[in-house]
């Protein structure tokens, strides 16, 4: 994997049907260098927020707003009651620049 960029910041996490909650995030933009999926971009990281926001993310989906104001749909995998790993779902063109 080739790391294209890393971002950290404070933003918001909004589960479906709920108000947004403050969130700290750490993410990496990576590209596969080899194999049948060479060239594929993967954006993943961790987010820390309040317990209600993570519990409210039914089916593991929510929207993450970055410090820049850009909003991306994410798939969450809870690690604790306040921390989750996530994968940014396409389209995510703004993160490739």
């Amino acid at each position: 994997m080739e790391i294209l960029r890393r971002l950290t910041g404070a933003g918001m996490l909004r589960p479906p049907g709920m108000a947004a909650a403050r969130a700290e995030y750490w993410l990496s933009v990576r590209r596969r260098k080899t194999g049948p999926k060479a060239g594929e971009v993967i954006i993943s990281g961790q987010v820390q927020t309040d317990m209600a926001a993570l519990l409210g993310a039914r089916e593991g989906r929510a929207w993450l707003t970055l410090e820049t104001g850009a909003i991306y749909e994410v798939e969450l995998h809870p690690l604790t009651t306040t921390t989750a790993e996530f994968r940014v779902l396409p389209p995510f063109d703004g993160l490739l620049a």
Side-chain angles (χ1 to χ4, degrees):
M1 289 283 207
E2 170 187 17
I3 296 175
L4 303 176
R5 69 191 291 204
R6 292 179 186 197
L7 297 170
T8 61
M12 304 294 280
L13 185 73
R14 186 175 64 80
M18 292 182 66
R22 181 170 160 66
E24 301 275 335
Y25 61 85
W26 304 265
L27 66 87
S28 295
V29 180
R30 299 171 291 153
R31 183 185 338 251
R32 292 185 193 273
K33 292 183 82 168
T34 60
K37 293 186 177 184
E40 177 185 34
V41 173
I42 299 166
I43 303 173
S44 61
Q46 287 191 357
V47 63
Q48 186 173 19
T49 190
D50 64 42
M51 183 170 52
L54 286 184
L55 291 175
R58 293 181 292 280
E59 298 178 19
R61 299 284 174 99
W63 290 271
L64 178 64
T65 303
L66 305 182
E67 282 185 352
T68 62
I71 301 171
Y72 298 97
E73 186 175 10
V74 295
E75 182 178 74
L76 299 164
H77 301 282
L79 299 173
T80 70
T81 57
T82 59
T83 305
E85 290 182 333
F86 67 86
R87 181 175 64 93
V88 177
L89 302 174
F92 42 70
D93 296 335
L95 289 171
L96 300 178

